[in-house]
Structure formats: structure tokens, C-alpha cells
Amino acid sequence: MLDVKAIRKNFPILDRKVYGKPLVYLDNAATSQKPHSVIQSLVDYYEGYNANVHRGVHALSMEATDKYEEARHKVARFIGAPKPESVIWTRNTSEAINLVAYTWAAANIKAGDEIVVSQMEHHSNLVPWQKVARDNGATLQVIPITKEGVLDPSQTDSFITRKTKLLAINQVSNSLGTINPVKSLTKKAHAFGAKVLIDGAQSVPHMPVDVKDLDCDFLAFSGHKMLGPTGIGALYVKPDVLEKMEPFLRGGEMVLEVWNDRATWNGLPMRFEAGTPNIADAIALGAAVDYLTALGMDNVREHEKQLTQYALSQLKQIEELDLFGPMDVSQRGGILPFHNSEVHPHDLGTYLDREGIAIRTGHHCTMPLMRAMGIVATARASLYIYNTEEEVDKLVAVLKDALRYFTDGTKRANRPG
Ligand code: 7TS
């Protein structure tokens, strides 16, 4: 298990106060906090060996190139990728999914084909496919969910057919916490010759993920949700699929030879990385991966599972709250959405914020899911390696106060300040 006390010492931001109260950071699904080693790796790069990569003959450039490519190796190892060059740097999950939409999907999805997603996709794994479907004359199929917030098992199979060309699905839902059975779905989709893209934005930071085991064709994830900096993410593509993909962005460094009227492409992964890349943040993502690897992803998952179990047991005791997502923690990540029919989630979020507790409120970029659930928004607490039972207790206590405050008019009228 994790030594959370020791972990917390590595995160400088956890010492700060918000409105004079200790920060309780429970918005990890939006972005995680960063340990000192990640922040220091950015400083080390800019102070010690800042230079462009893949083009310099001088020492600094070679040092930067080595560190930048070493980070790619670390990320590849972290997700079990067969080769480092099957990992392409992107800005985030959204860009990684768009890369697939603008390259592989644009070239391979044909009229009459079907793209299958689920009802619980983040907009980033839905809106790009709407465009591909529209442009290429394909149809988007949406697997429905049950009241418990899992894929409807009685219907899922019927959505994956010989018409399916791509299954694009998240491994963990950011709005429900549901863990989807992506391995068996991948097997099913492959049996019909379809490709599979897994949105790993909420899984790669929180549990062991191995692309060889999942056998997916594409895996997209963001560095900033896994202790890394913003502005860096990755797309894994199965080597034989990547080999045949046309470039996404064109320009410097992604070419081999250029004439006035044409060009040939560089090898992998450079073919997909036009221009000066986000060197510092890629290196810092490597440092984040080092940190998570040292903890062990099995331990990370186990910590979150236990804390989620504890949080659910506490939240369930607040009768006025509706909870969403599976109640069995073996089927759920550390994401805790809740809702009260009388109090707007933004009001709850604002009240919690005044007590130093950071959560997210809104539709969480899953508007079609909210519509399917018959609500417009939820309040959502989301956990990570540095969160504790004491923080969950604080959330629950302040939440009870907030509900009393907003549903009892007299109390509200008398509240100081
Ligand atoms: N997919 C999932 C499942 C996500 O949770 C997110 C971000 C994305 C894609 C997009 O990631 P990005 O790094 O490109 O922005 N989710 C959230 C969230 O739940 N709250 O803020 C961002």
C-alpha cells in the first residue's frame, strides 16, 4: 500500500491554504497536482540543457534529445508498448484522439461503415467521430448505459457488428467512474475486423494499463492527469497500424526529403511530430512516470479502491444525495459524482470551496450522458494518491453543512458574511 503521508510531502501545493483553510484537493479527474521531482525536472531542463532536439550537433541539443527520447521510452514501458516509436507525443488526450480522426479514420472509414462509442464518452471522444461520420458517410452508434451507469450488457454485443470499423471507448468514465470491460470489447471488435481506440485519460493515471494485454490499436492519454505538466500527452498506436498512417501535421522534422512540389516522410515517430515539440514537458512527464512506477500502479489502484469504498460508504449516509456509477469498487475508479435535487451543484461546489475543498461541478464535458441521466450537472469529487480518509471525512461533513444551509431558508438568512 501507499505511504500517503510520505507522498504528501512530495507535493508542495498540498501545504497551501485556501481562504485560510488547508487545501483539500479532490479535482484530480480534471488535473492532478505535481510532485517536486516533476517541477524540478522542468527547472533542470531550462536551467541546464535547454536546446532544440533532433537537429543540433552541439552538446546541449544532444543532451536534450537524449532526455526527450528517454522520456518516450519511459512512457512506452509504462503502458507496455512494444516499441518506443509507437508512442507519439501530443498535447493531451483530445489531440491524440483528433490525430486518429484526421489520419487513420479519415482514410479508412467509408460510407456505410459504423463508428461505435458509448453513452458515457467525454466530448473529446465523441465530437471528432461526429465529424468523421459526417465527412465519410458513416454512422455513429452509441452503446446505451443502464441506470447503474454501466454499459447495458443486454445491448452491447448487438452494437458491435461486421459494419463496425472503429470502436472508440473510454476505459474509465470521467463522469461516472465506471470501469469499462475494454479488453473483452476489443476482442469482440477485432473479431469483426474493426479497430479499437481506448480513451485512457482516466485509466492510465490510476491503474496498470498494458496495451499488449488489451490488444488495442490506439490508446490516448494526458500527462497532466498523471502528475505530469499540462501541454503533453501521448497516443499509442499499434506498430503495424502506425506504419500505414499518413502524417497529421506537416512541416519541419517530419520529412526525409523535400522538393519544391513534394516530400517524403521521416521514420517513426518523427513522421507525426512536425515542428519543435514540447521538449520540457515531455521530459517532465518522464519524471511523473518515474514517480508512479516507483509507487507501483497496483498500489495506486489499491489505494484508490479502498478510499473510494470508504468515500462511498460515507456519502451513502447522506440521504438527500443521489450517487452515480457502480457501487462495486472493483468496477469503478476513484470518481464520486453526486447530486441533490434541490441544490444546484455549483452552489455545493462554491460552499465546499469556501472551506478549502476543491471539486468540479457541471456536465464534465459529457452532455449527452447528463441528458441520458435526466440531469444537467453533477458535483464530482475525484481521488488520487495523496488523498486521505480524513479528507473524505471533511468533504462529507462540509457537504452535510452545505445541504442544511441551502435547504433551510432560516439558516441561510442568518449565516454570517
Ligand atoms: N477523455 C476523458 C475520459 C477525460 O476525462 C478527459 C478530460 C478527456 C478525454 C480530455 O482530456 P484533455 O487532457 O485533452 O483535456 N476530463 C476532464 C474532466 O473530467 N474534468 O476536466 C477535464
Side-chain angles (χ1 to χ4, degrees):
M1 278 298 283
L2 302 184
D3 181 350
V4 176
K5 233 183 189 167
I7 288 173
R8 290 182 70 85
K9 290 205 182 94
N10 299 149
F11 288 77
I13 208 168
L14 297 180
D15 285 337
R16 74 158 281 182
K17 299 241 171 11
V18 175
Y19 310 114
K21 311 273 166 59
L23 169 67
V24 175
Y25 188 76
L26 298 173
D27 194 17
N28 294 289
T31 199
S32 74
Q33 296 303 343
K34 324 300 174 197
H36 180 258
S37 59
V38 167
I39 300 165
Q40 188 59 44
S41 74
L42 293 167
V43 175
D44 289 346
Y45 167 74
Y46 285 119
E47 286 189 356
Y49 57 97
N50 171 50
N52 214 328
V53 290
H54 294 310
R55 62 199 86 194
V57 290
H58 58 83
L60 261 51
S61 177
M62 287 188 281
E63 230 176 281
T65 303
D66 285 350
K67 287 275 201 295
Y68 174 74
E69 288 305 327
E70 189 190 342
R72 194 192 307 274
H73 274 74
K74 288 177 184 176
V75 169
R77 225 177 297 130
F78 188 67
I79 57 163
K83 304 176 180 179
E85 55 272 27
S86 55
V87 171
I88 297 164
W89 297 123
T90 62
R91 276 188 307 138
N92 47 37
T93 304
S94 305
E95 187 177 287
I97 295 173
N98 273 278
L99 193 159
V100 179
Y102 276 94
T103 57
W104 181 87
N108 289 284
I109 305 271
K110 301 280 188 293
D113 287 345
E114 292 183 354
I115 302 169
V116 179
V117 296
S118 84
Q119 189 64 83
M120 57 175 110
E121 297 312 316
H122 188 280
H123 296 161
S124 292
N125 196 31
L126 176 64
V127 180
W129 308 125
Q130 293 173 346
K131 173 174 164 56
V132 173
R134 207 175 307 121
D135 290 355
N136 295 22
T139 314
L140 201 55
Q141 297 285 354
V142 182
I143 306 173
I145 57 166
T146 65
K147 276 208 307 293
E148 288 68 43
V150 298
L151 296 182
D152 188 336
S154 68
Q155 298 206 47
T156 302
D157 278 3
S158 66
F159 276 80
I160 302 171
T161 69
R162 57 187 176 76
K163 286 191 178 167
T164 309
K165 203 63 184 251
L166 176 72
L167 168 67
I169 189 160
N170 66 72
Q171 189 168 14
V172 174
S173 153
N174 68 314
S175 284
L176 296 167
T178 312
I179 301 176
N180 287 312
V182 288
K183 187 175 171 179
S184 60
L185 290 172
T186 299
K187 211 166 164 194
K188 252 169 227 158
H190 280 168
F192 288 106
K195 297 277 185 272
V196 178
L197 177 142
I198 296 177
D199 172 351
Q202 300 294 348
S203 59
V204 173
H206 300 281
M207 58 179 68
V209 173
D210 185 304
V211 291
K212 281 201 297 305
D213 178 50
L214 295 175
D215 196 31
C216 58
D217 301 284
F218 308 99
L219 174 75
F221 53 101
S222 298
H224 69 93
K225 294 186 200 285
M226 50 188 286
L227 312 181
T230 52
I232 189 77
L235 172 70
Y236 158 79
V237 188
K238 209 181 243 184
D240 61 319
V241 180
L242 186 57
E243 207 51 68
K244 294 189 207 110
M245 272 164 54
E246 280 287 303
F248 176 32
L249 302 174
R250 288 161 166 80
E253 291 301 303
M254 51 75 66
V255 283
L256 200 59
E257 270 198 278
V258 181
W259 295 265
N260 276 343
D261 61 344
R262 68 190 190 281
T264 57
W265 310 142
N266 205 339
L268 295 169
M270 313 260 296
R271 194 192 305 165
F272 290 92
E273 292 177 5
T276 299
N278 190 348
I279 304 162
D281 293 319
I283 293 168
L285 178 53
V289 163
D290 286 343
Y291 191 94
L292 288 170
T293 304
L295 296 180
M297 290 309 290
D298 282 315
N299 296 327
V300 169
R301 169 69 184 135
E302 195 51 39
H303 165 75
E304 287 183 29
K305 213 165 146 183
Q306 289 189 15
L307 198 54
T308 303
Q309 178 82 63
Y310 179 72
L312 285 174
S313 72
Q314 298 304 302
L315 288 168
K316 262 190 223 161
Q317 289 172 21
I318 311 179
E319 275 172 22
E320 310 93 295
L321 277 190
D322 298 320
L323 302 180
F324 302 91
M327 290 300 136
D328 172 3
V329 292
S330 66
Q331 275 191 65
R332 136 179 233 149
I335 286 174
L336 303 155
F338 49 87
H339 182 261
N340 173 280
S341 53
E342 288 179 56
V343 186
H344 196 282
H346 291 333
D347 288 337
L348 289 179
T350 306
Y351 193 104
L352 289 165
D353 176 52
R354 300 303 296 193
E355 297 297 324
I357 304 171
I359 62 157
R360 187 177 167 189
T361 64
H363 53 63
H364 313 290
C365 302
T366 53
M367 287 168 85
L369 171 65
M370 295 289 137
R371 223 169 273 127
M373 298 198 301
I375 50 178
V376 288
T378 65
R380 180 193 68 182
S382 49
L383 309 170
Y384 209 10
I385 51 173
Y386 33 69
N387 291 125
T388 64
E389 288 193 358
E390 291 72 38
E391 289 181 314
V392 170
D393 290 341
K394 200 156 179 189
L395 167 73
V396 170
V398 177
L399 205 46
K400 282 180 184 163
D401 279 350
L403 287 167
R404 245 177 276 136
Y405 171 67
F406 285 114
T407 52
D408 178 347
T410 12
K411 192 154 185 249
R412 184 161 63 239
N414 293 331
R415 190 174 203 247

